[in-house]
Amino acid sequence: MTTTANLLVELFVEELPPKALKKLGESFAHVLADSLRAQGLASEHSAVTPFASPRRLAAHVSAVHSAAPDKAVSQKLMPVTVALAADGTPTPALLKKLASLGADASVVPQLKRQMDGKAEALFYDSMAPGATLAQGLQKALDDAIAKLPIPKVMSYQLETGAQPGWNSVHFVRPAHGLVALHGAEVVPVSALGLSSGRETHGHRFEASMDPVVLQHADRYAEQLLEQGAVIASFAQRRGEIARQLQHAASQQGLTPIDDDALLDEVTALVERPNVLLCRFEPEFLEVPPECLILTMKANQKYFPLLDAAGKLTNQFLIVSNISPADPSAVIGGNERVVRPRLADAKFFFDQDRKRTLQSRVEGLSKVVYHNKLGTQGERAERVRAIGHAIVNRLSMATLPFTVEAQDEFAVLDSKVQQAALLAKTDLLTDMVGEFPELQGVMGGYYARHEGLRDGVAIAIEDHYKPRFAGDALPRNHTGTVLALADKLETLVGLFGIGQLHTGDKDPFALRRHALGVIRILTEKNLPLDLPALLQAALPAFGDLLTDPSEALLGFFADRLAVSLRDQGYSAQEVEAVLALAPTRLGDVPRRLEAVRAFAALPEAPALAAANKRVGNILKKSLGADAHVNPALLKEPAEQALHAAMQQVVPAADAQFAAGDHTGSLQTLAALRAPVDAFFDGVMVNAEEADLRLNRLGLLAQLHAAMNRVADLSKLAS
């Protein structure tokens, strides 16, 4: 008799890699459940709950059957000519095949004949018994372990003294226990040299009993918490840490730093969290807060505390894995550990300020950037040249580029040149040598310390921006130009020597650099054409590389399409706009909004379909002259369309020229009726050549007018 109960499976292991724990837990649970569903042991309605703590991966799956239902199976046996003799009796080959399937000659009359390719074959229909839970769970467990996204596999021996290679196991960490409970019953399975049972282990120091003997699949989390002092659920443990952090900080009138990645990592390091408040000496606050925060987060996994103004304080929170009655020893120990780290940061900061950034410029010529592209010093000179070219293009732009009244282009160029020369010098400082993540940031601090011109320090700090998705853009014009120049130098240089990204591998972060250029051009609406920018960057490289513009433009188009879809635009909307290969990216958002507004109009589907039809007609008539002789417009429908276009198109063109893309497309919507009437009443491919060419010219004018903002045919279903 088949029974249904909830299932619990746990692997108890040594400490798992914290940065991978969340993914490991989710993968283990979901692959296990998917395999059970595929075998008919669980249904789509079976709920899956993953558990992951520093020393365990587990999954709870509801409504799991003790056996899967039997399945009807149709199995091909062999061609009829081989299976049956001329008189229709079974051949020895057929009888032997049936015997291997547990059947005999009595089933021959029930065999089905069916064409299999060009020959007729015999098929045997039978009922295959469903898998038992023990069989199915074994397969599911093997699948879940095999598909774990393990960052690095280790090998170990199951038995002390075993010969290497004889009893070796390959897994993320040595495994010491396996639990498999169907309700209250143990399911006999094995994995990693372990046999299943109902015993697990709790907290190393605070468990009230060891081992923890699990009574039922549904009491797993409850027993681990009560008897093992472990919060088994990653999500619940994370939520508890966040709650304690907020509570401890609010008692001091402060706020913990917001860092999801740090919260995930700490969640993966503790089994039952206990948040405690610590302090360091106030004099360390003289060091830039970015240095102190990075030291506490990266090295110690601490949560710095900010005051109401967002300023760093000398207090921080730790997440302990133990809860002693007197926490003073834990607090004191952590304060002692962080002190030398902060002292190192202060020493680096003090030492670095003894030299100017300018004095470090010469040292860049000794730092190799790329063996085909030279040193960081040569790179800085290229960035200066590209920055100068960008400023020149801004000054010549037909659209106004608003700068501060006193910041004319000559002054802007001077600032860009100075910032470009100094931007990479902080790579040679002790602080950035210790904390590479602070490059740019420290350059800005040291520039301000030296009293460099207004805006230059900010530009040095901002020239890596945006560093990641959602990061802020450069704050001033100098930084904007410098960031563009720096990213273009990287992209043009590496593409030009064939150093491209491959699949998931992108060691030079080319995708990030391209997205940075896209965001700067788009969000700041700069009057710069992307192809012209790439050409302007080329001279800075001399004869080091071949022109990579074509490949780069394709790369930018791909990145732009992905970025726009991530922002919520549909694939059709994005394809419609990018089909025209717009060169001024600042114009793309307005085009997209116009397309979206147009698509919502009742006239849109018919006009999009007509536009697609027009495009197909014109493709077959390449070279058609887009001129129209009104005297040759014979049919009333073509005369009406021409008259409507004479009224509508100039108005739409004027709106387009004024930047009102939405209004332009909405104005063109008035052409729906005359366009429909044209295709209903006019034969485009007339026998008379002059009529045919005139009508093609009319359609060419219509096509050009309708596709100035986007290729509307892409909206046709």
Side-chain angles (χ1 to χ4, degrees):
M1 178 180 175
T2 301
T3 60
T4 301
N6 296 338
L7 177 73
L8 184 283
V9 179
E10 182 205 67
L11 268 176
F12 183 77
V13 298
E14 294 183 13
E15 277 74 6
L16 292 158
K19 291 184 179 180
L21 180 63
K22 185 178 180 183
K23 285 185 178 179
L24 289 172
E26 291 172 350
S27 172
F28 181 77
H30 291 294
V31 172
L32 185 87
D34 288 345
S35 182
L36 291 173
R37 291 189 185 105
Q39 297 176 77
L41 291 164
S43 73
E44 292 301 316
H45 302 292
S46 296
V48 184
T49 305
F51 296 96
S53 77
R55 296 192 295 156
R56 78 197 71 241
L57 299 174
H60 182 277
V61 185
S62 68
V64 175
H65 308 305
S66 60
D70 295 344
K71 284 187 194 177
V73 177
S74 181
Q75 187 168 354
K76 176 188 171 184
L77 299 177
M78 58 188 67
V80 171
T81 54
V82 177
L84 301 175
D87 60 358
T89 58
T91 63
L94 177 60
L95 294 175
K96 183 177 180 181
K97 180 67 175 177
L98 289 172
S100 71
L101 298 174
D104 54 28
S106 64
V107 304
V108 172
Q110 284 81 47
L111 298 180
K112 288 196 308 185
R113 293 186 178 213
Q114 192 172 317
M115 292 303 295
D116 181 50
K118 295 182 179 180
E120 191 177 30
L122 288 183
F123 288 80
Y124 174 52
D125 292 344
S126 62
M127 292 298 292
T132 65
L133 179 56
Q135 295 168 335
L137 181 56
Q138 184 65 63
K139 182 181 185 307
L141 184 57
D142 292 341
D143 287 346
I145 291 173
K147 294 179 181 178
L148 279 176
I150 298 173
K152 190 174 182 180
V153 176
M154 66 178 295
S155 298
Y156 60 95
Q157 273 69 54
L158 291 176
E159 301 170 6
T160 303
Q163 297 182 26
W166 284 73
N167 291 25
S168 293
V169 174
H170 307 285
F171 195 52
V172 58
R173 292 291 186 272
H176 297 291
L178 174 63
V179 172
L181 291 179
H182 187 230
E185 302 299 319
V186 173
V187 183
V189 291
S190 61
L192 306 174
L194 303 167
S195 297
S196 57
R198 61 172 71 249
E199 292 185 355
T200 187
H201 303 275
H203 196 289
R204 288 185 188 277
F205 311 112
E206 300 189 351
S208 61
M209 60 179 61
D210 186 61
V212 176
V213 181
L214 298 172
Q215 303 301 317
H216 194 281
D218 293 346
R219 292 202 61 210
Y220 175 70
E222 175 191 346
Q223 278 192 261
L224 267 180
L225 182 59
E226 292 178 355
Q227 301 170 11
V230 171
I231 300 175
S233 166
F234 187 96
Q236 290 179 10
R237 204 162 61 254
R238 189 181 193 275
E240 175 61 16
I241 293 172
R243 185 195 68 76
Q244 289 190 37
L245 288 171
Q246 198 60 49
H247 176 71
S250 63
Q251 288 187 319
Q252 307 298 316
L254 303 174
T255 304
I257 198 159
D258 186 13
D259 191 320
D260 285 341
L262 177 61
L263 185 54
D264 281 345
E265 189 172 358
V266 170
T267 302
L269 289 168
V270 298
E271 293 179 309
R272 189 174 67 171
N274 178 32
V275 172
L276 301 171
L277 178 69
C278 302
R279 293 176 174 81
F280 59 82
E281 289 75 4
E283 56 262 29
F284 288 125
L285 292 174
E286 297 172 8
V287 179
E290 292 89 346
C291 307
L292 304 181
I293 290 172
L294 186 59
T295 296
M296 287 188 278
K297 285 181 8 179
N299 294 326
Q300 306 304 135
K301 316 305 175 190
Y302 296 159
F303 288 83
L305 291 175
L306 310 176
D307 64 18
K311 186 178 178 182
L312 181 67
T313 69
N314 69 319
Q315 299 183 73
F316 61 94
L317 297 175
I318 66 166
V319 183
S320 175
N321 196 36
I322 56 175
S323 303
D326 179 7
S328 59
V330 177
I331 293 171
N334 281 277
E335 290 177 344
R336 283 194 300 274
V337 167
V338 79
R339 192 173 295 116
R341 295 277 189 180
L342 301 181
D344 285 347
K346 186 174 187 307
F347 175 78
F348 294 146
F349 185 56
D350 292 339
Q351 289 298 111
D352 286 342
R353 287 183 295 170
K354 293 178 181 179
R355 290 185 59 190
T356 64
L357 295 179
Q358 181 66 46
S359 71
R360 300 179 188 272
V361 170
E362 185 178 351
L364 291 175
S365 64
K366 300 174 184 177
V367 180
V368 175
Y369 166 56
H370 191 285
N371 63 345
K372 292 184 179 180
L373 294 173
T375 66
Q376 288 286 2
E378 292 169 310
R379 185 184 180 202
E381 289 300 327
R382 290 195 293 267
V383 172
R384 291 180 77 186
I386 296 170
H388 177 69
I390 293 172
V391 173
N392 282 344
R393 291 196 169 272
L394 287 171
S395 68
M396 295 185 294
T398 54
L399 295 176
F401 178 64
T402 305
V403 295
E404 298 89 342
Q406 76 281 9
D407 197 4
E408 297 176 351
F409 288 106
V411 177
L412 175 62
D413 187 40
S414 175
K415 288 183 177 181
V416 168
Q417 295 299 298
Q418 183 182 21
L421 181 68
L422 302 178
K424 304 298 181 186
T425 55
D426 68 353
L427 297 176
L428 303 177
T429 62
D430 291 339
M431 187 70 84
V432 173
E434 181 71 13
F435 302 111
E437 302 92 333
L438 295 178
Q439 54 190 281
V441 173
M442 295 314 302
Y445 274 106
Y446 297 143
R448 276 187 286 273
H449 171 72
E450 295 172 26
L452 294 184
R453 282 190 297 176
D454 179 45
V456 171
I458 291 176
I460 292 173
E461 180 178 345
D462 286 0
H463 83 280
Y464 288 105
K465 292 181 178 179
R467 294 171 183 256
F468 50 84
D471 191 19
L473 297 182
R475 289 165 286 177
N476 63 16
H477 299 303
T478 308
T480 296
V481 173
L482 183 59
L484 268 180
D486 185 67
K487 290 169 174 54
L488 288 171
E489 191 279 335
T490 299
L491 289 162
V492 172
L494 292 171
F495 264 76
I497 61 171
Q499 189 79 58
L500 311 181
H501 69 292
T502 55
D504 293 335
K505 295 181 179 179
D506 189 8
F508 292 97
L510 298 178
R511 295 184 183 91
R512 178 168 56 80
H513 285 298
L515 285 172
V517 171
I518 289 168
R519 281 194 59 199
I520 291 172
L521 293 177
T522 302
E523 296 177 30
K524 288 186 175 286
N525 193 20
L526 298 183
L528 296 169
D529 286 345
L530 182 57
L533 274 181
L534 299 182
Q535 289 301 311
L538 273 175
F541 291 89
D543 58 0
L544 284 177
L545 45 83
T546 55
D547 186 352
S549 297
E550 184 177 350
L552 259 177
L553 287 173
F555 183 64
F556 272 109
D558 291 343
R559 294 299 96 209
L560 179 58
V562 171
S563 173
L564 294 173
R565 288 195 294 269
D566 288 346
Q567 293 173 44
Y569 293 104
S570 72
Q572 277 187 319
E573 292 166 344
V574 172
E575 189 178 2
V577 170
L578 298 192
L580 300 187
T583 59
R584 189 160 292 184
L585 301 190
D587 205 27
V588 168
R590 292 202 304 276
R591 290 175 184 260
L592 281 165
E593 292 304 323
V595 167
R596 177 168 286 181
F598 172 79
L601 297 175
E603 300 89 348
L607 280 173
N611 190 63
K612 186 174 183 178
R613 185 174 178 183
V614 170
N616 291 334
I617 292 171
L618 293 176
K619 282 178 186 176
K620 298 175 183 177
S621 307
L622 293 177
D625 192 353
H627 289 87
V628 178
N629 182 354
L632 293 175
L633 298 172
K634 301 298 184 184
E635 300 292 340
E638 61 183 328
Q639 293 170 350
L641 176 58
H642 182 259
M645 288 173 59
Q646 294 299 105
Q647 288 186 330
V648 170
V649 172
D653 286 349
Q655 289 170 307
F656 179 85
D660 183 7
H661 298 341
T662 300
S664 179
L665 284 183
Q666 290 177 335
T667 297
L668 289 170
L671 294 176
R672 179 200 170 170
V675 167
D676 287 348
F678 176 88
F679 282 115
D680 288 340
V682 178
M683 174 69 70
V684 176
N685 290 319
E687 293 184 8
E688 299 90 339
D690 55 349
L691 290 182
R692 182 173 65 252
L693 292 174
N694 203 55
R695 288 167 182 170
L696 287 172
L698 182 64
L699 292 182
Q701 286 187 0
L702 176 66
H703 194 259
M706 292 182 67
N707 292 286
R708 293 196 68 180
V709 173
D711 183 351
L712 299 184
S713 69
K714 302 299 183 183
L715 302 179
S717 55

